[in-house]
Amino acid sequence: MLSYRNDVVSGLFEQAEHVCRPDSPFRSAAASRLRDWWWREAESGLPHKQRFDVLDHFDAAPDLFLVEVLPHGEFRTRLIGENAKAHVEVGRLGAILRWNDPQAFRQVLWQYYHCVVTERRPMMCMGDVHYAAKKSRLYEGLDCPLSTDGTQVTHILGMLTVF
């Protein structure tokens, strides 16, 4: 599916988003390992946040971020790796993301996170980011729902790799 980001942030993003399957291809080896980890853990239900060990994904740490799912459908970014911060997450640490945020881009991000929670499966996105006065950059993302109780999605573990 072509992202609704094109409509909201015209000219900045061209992004395809869809559910990540166990065999979904990634350019990044680290993203492939995170995908494999999630699907192995999902064999016994929704993966538990406590089972994720960043040391098993140490090479991906700069690209990782953790989002907490709050009551009333809100989201808060709890942790941000240095690469993710440099590319898109700057200023988002601790901020609350709501469906009716005055910034259109944040509304779109809320829709995407909401989709991860609703699907209860990882979502992947791939596309190009076009910066003013810079060459466009190819990126891929993987956003994995996690749980602290095994039933509800309480967190989203995300990874953003820019090439």
Side-chain angles (χ1 to χ4, degrees):
M1 120 175 66
L2 192 56
S3 172
Y4 35 77
R5 291 175 195 231
N6 290 329
D7 298 329
V8 177
V9 190
S10 181
L12 295 181
F13 289 90
E14 259 183 60
Q15 176 170 294
E17 301 167 354
H18 47 87
V19 171
C20 175
R21 307 211 182 281
D23 60 348
S24 293
F26 283 95
R27 291 181 65 161
S28 162
S32 294
R33 283 192 300 279
L34 179 58
R35 174 205 60 209
D36 294 345
W37 174 86
W38 194 93
W39 283 104
R40 271 193 315 275
E41 292 292 319
E43 288 178 5
S44 59
L46 196 56
H48 285 251
K49 175 181 169 269
Q50 299 88 331
R51 301 255 318 142
F52 180 79
D53 186 349
V54 73
L55 294 179
D56 294 335
H57 302 270
F58 192 72
D59 61 328
D63 297 330
L64 294 175
F65 55 94
L66 183 68
V67 175
E68 180 183 12
V69 180
L70 300 173
H72 311 296
E74 300 170 335
F75 302 95
R76 177 181 18 221
T77 303
R78 302 293 296 186
L79 295 170
I80 306 171
E82 289 304 310
N83 290 347
K85 186 187 304 182
H87 292 292
V88 297
E89 295 287 336
V90 68
R92 239 184 258 163
L93 186 62
I96 304 293
L97 190 64
R98 296 178 175 89
W99 70 270
N100 61 349
D101 194 284
Q103 295 179 326
F105 176 77
R106 290 171 57 90
Q107 289 177 18
V108 169
L109 185 57
W110 181 91
Q111 289 175 334
Y112 180 74
Y113 285 163
H114 181 72
C115 186
V116 174
V117 170
T118 302
E119 285 288 335
R120 299 173 59 87
R121 294 182 290 171
M123 294 291 293
M124 59 188 297
C125 58
M126 295 181 184
D128 289 303
V129 163
H130 307 282
Y131 297 104
K134 289 185 181 178
K135 187 177 176 181
S136 72
R137 306 280 305 269
L138 179 67
Y139 67 93
E140 65 183 6
L142 175 62
D143 298 282
C144 301
L146 301 176
S147 179
T148 55
D149 64 7
T151 57
Q152 289 188 343
V153 177
T154 58
H155 293 82
I156 298 170
L157 177 63
M159 178 178 207
L160 177 71
T161 306
V162 178
F163 300 99

